[in-house]
Amino acid sequence: MSDLKFTDRIDLRLRINDIDTHLEAIDARTSLLDLLREHVGLTGAKKGCNHGECGACTVLLDGRRVNGCLVLAAAVDGREVVTVEGLSDGEQLHPVQRAFIDCDAFQCGFCTPGQVISAVACIAEGHTTDEHEIREWMSGNICRCSSYPQIVEAVQAAAASENERIPS
Amino acid sequence: MIPLTYARATTLDEALDAAHDPGTAVLAGGTELLNWLRLGITDADRVVDISRVPGLDRIEPLPGGGLRIGTLVRLNDVAAHPSVARDWPVLRMAIHKSASAQLRNLATIGANLLQKTRCAYFRSEEPVPCNRRVPGSGCAAREGHDDRHALFGWTDDCIATQPSDPAVALAALDAHVVTRTATGGRRIAVTEFHVLPADGVDRDTVLEPGELVEAIELDAPAPCSAYVKVRERESYEYAIVSAAVALRLRDDGVIDSARIALGSVAMRPWRLAEAERRVVGLAPDDDAVTSAIEAALAQARPVAGSAYKLAIARGAARRALMTAAGVRP
Ligand SMILES: Cc1cc2nc3c(=O)[nH]c(=O)nc-3n(C[C@H](O)[C@H](O)[C@H](O)COP(=O)(O)OP(=O)(O)OC[C@H]3O[C@@H](n4cnc5c(N)ncnc54)[C@H](O)[C@@H]3O)c2cc1C
Ligand code: SF4
Ligand code: FES
Ligand code: FES
């Protein structure tokens, strides 16, 4: 047997939405998504498929979008997580959230938190040259209500307002 | 999911030591492993996390113009690397057509080759006959839906296909997998890395227990290369068939050498050796190119439902070859 110490309960320190969070004795099987929803009480990230297929669980991990359902919480100890709850500045919505409202980019809203996080990342990555590129880089988020045209519009609008804010 | 214990390796030796113990699964990005644990595809009850082992997440040039990509490099980071973009476009294209942006931020290049078949029976949540899941239980696909299944190299035991996109690009690049064991390591050609059903449905690759992937090595640059993936929807979907082509062209544009691999047609990327031989000396826009590909595909042995894939394979291989040559397909 190897010398590494294997444990079934793990203490974790994560920075979640700018708050240092200490969690004790977490079951080793816990996914990042379940950790956020069930232990931290952040229910913005949704559990759709739990298999990496729908994108409803998308969060930012060290600034990059990932599927929370496929991340083992134990493996991301010490990392930084941003969920949809962490985007707004008090009552002030994030420009992407604003754009989703303005463009009516949701119907049932279940996929929306993942879409919004993914859109924030998609814009930061610079994958918003045209509608085709937005569709390609947003394709990891499935919307059963098929709000895709409005979502693309919202991403375009938010990307444009982002560019306005950055003087060239 | 059955109860698990977890430990994080801080060195490769620690990881090798732990990985050797039966019942231990290695965790890199986790995008496959977590699904296997949930579906009962693995019965591992210990997870050794290698994701922070230093040195495995680097991309470094090799003497002679090659590139060494550490196993832990995330797919999006492989594709974004300037050398990959310039010298191995086929790999960049294959990665950008893999999974989704958020999965590619987790998925590591080494473990991508270790992903298991997407045969729906193999991934079933309900028990169904599947020799890969339960040895000797039979093959539900043989009597059921077999339209996503093999064209080459299958047996009655299993007609599944290997679904990785990067593997097909790497096969066309004659890339190697570099491994480490407690006592050494080896360099395995990607074309020899996956195991066909005839050599056993109880394993997917030639990796031995406790053997870890350390890096992927690319040799000489292949700037004239391209990847074509045909699937049921435009994005975020596995291939019905894919094709990777790497060419060397003479100054007059005639093909000097070609490497052509198909994906999702067998349990390994499938090189079309006969087409590779026949296209030498042809102009890439020649009808003879199509005939060469057709000649190679004549050796295919589709299962009942997969015959339609032949036409797709022909088109994908031709289109990849034209794109690699810089000719509009
Ligand atoms: C919804 C979905 C869609 C996808 N679509 C595509 C697609 O279109 N194309 C495509 O190519 N792929 C696709 N994938 C597969 C994905 O790319 C792979 O799951 C991923 O590359 C595996 O990397 P990982 O680091 O997450 O693996 P992990 O889950 O961490 O590891 C998988 C297995 O590999 C082994 N392992 C990991 N690292 C090592 C190592 N260094 N040495 C030895 N063994 C190791 C472990 O045994 C582990 O069990 C998709 C996956 C999902 C979930
Ligand atoms: S094709 Fe292979 S993986 Fe699919 S059911 Fe048959 S034995 Fe299992
Ligand atoms: S819940 Fe994570 S991708 Fe569907
Ligand atoms: S708004 Fe309902 S699933 Fe997207």
Side-chain angles (χ1 to χ4, degrees), chain A residues 43-75:
Chain A
T43 53
K46 297 288 183 280
K47 187 183 279 191
C49 64
N50 214 28
H51 284 291
E53 289 160 11
C54 72
C57 62
T58 303
V59 296
L60 301 179
L61 178 64
D62 285 347
R64 304 179 77 177
R65 51 175 155 159
V66 300
N67 306 75
C69 70
L70 294 184
V71 174
L72 206 58

Side-chain angles (χ1 to χ4, degrees), chain A residues 1-2 5-7 29 50-53 58 64-65 67 69-70 74-75 77 79 136-137 139-141, chain B residues 1-2 5-8 14 17-18 21 35 38 46-47 49 52 77 100-105 235-236:
Chain A
M1 285 301 241
S2 69
K5 196 168 149 17
F6 285 81
T7 55
R29 288 171 287 185
N50 214 28
H51 284 291
E53 289 160 11
T58 303
R64 304 179 77 177
R65 51 175 155 159
N67 306 75
C69 70
L70 294 184
D77 182 32
R79 308 272 194 228
E136 177 62 42
W137 285 83
S139 68
N141 295 79
Chain B
M1 205 188 280
I2 61 164
T5 58
Y6 168 92
R8 185 181 304 140
E14 253 176 18
D17 192 27
D21 291 330
N35 283 334
R38 287 178 184 136
R46 305 199 322 164
V47 169
D49 177 1
R52 298 192 202 185
D77 295 331
S100 66
Q102 46 269 63
L103 279 157
R104 296 193 300 268
N105 280 339
S235 183
Y236 197 18

Side-chain angles (χ1 to χ4, degrees), chain B residues 117 119-122 129-133 138-142 149 157-160:
Chain B
T117 181
C119 171
Y121 301 104
F122 174 77
C130 171
N131 291 322
R132 256 178 215 284
R133 280 290 285 273
C139 169
R142 204 73 190 92
H149 291 73
D157 288 337
C158 180
I159 58 172

Side-chain angles (χ1 to χ4, degrees), chain A residues 16 28 72 93-94 102 161:
Chain A
I16 304 172
L72 206 58
L93 291 182
H94 186 283
D102 292 345
S161 73

Side-chain angles (χ1 to χ4, degrees), chain A residues 105-112 115 142-147 151:
Chain A
F106 38 74
Q107 289 179 33
C108 79
F110 193 82
C111 71
T112 307
Q115 300 276 5
I142 309 292
C143 174
R144 299 293 171 197
C145 307
S146 232
S147 306
I151 292 170

Side-chain angles (χ1 to χ4, degrees), chain B residues 142-160:
Chain B
R142 204 73 190 92
E143 306 295 324
H145 294 287
D146 59 359
D147 55 313
R148 301 303 292 261
H149 291 73
L151 292 177
F152 294 98
W154 53 272
T155 68
D156 280 322
D157 288 337
C158 180
I159 58 172

Side-chain angles (χ1 to χ4, degrees), chain B residues 1 5 7 20 26 30 37 53 58 61 111 148 155 187 211 225 233 247 252 268 283 289 307 327:
Chain B
M1 205 188 280
T5 58
H20 205 270
V26 171
L37 289 165
V53 171
R58 285 202 300 264
R148 301 303 292 261
T155 68
R187 227 172 151 259
E211 184 173 15
S225 63
R233 60 181 179 198
L247 297 177
D252 59 359
R268 63 162 56 143
V289 163
V327 182

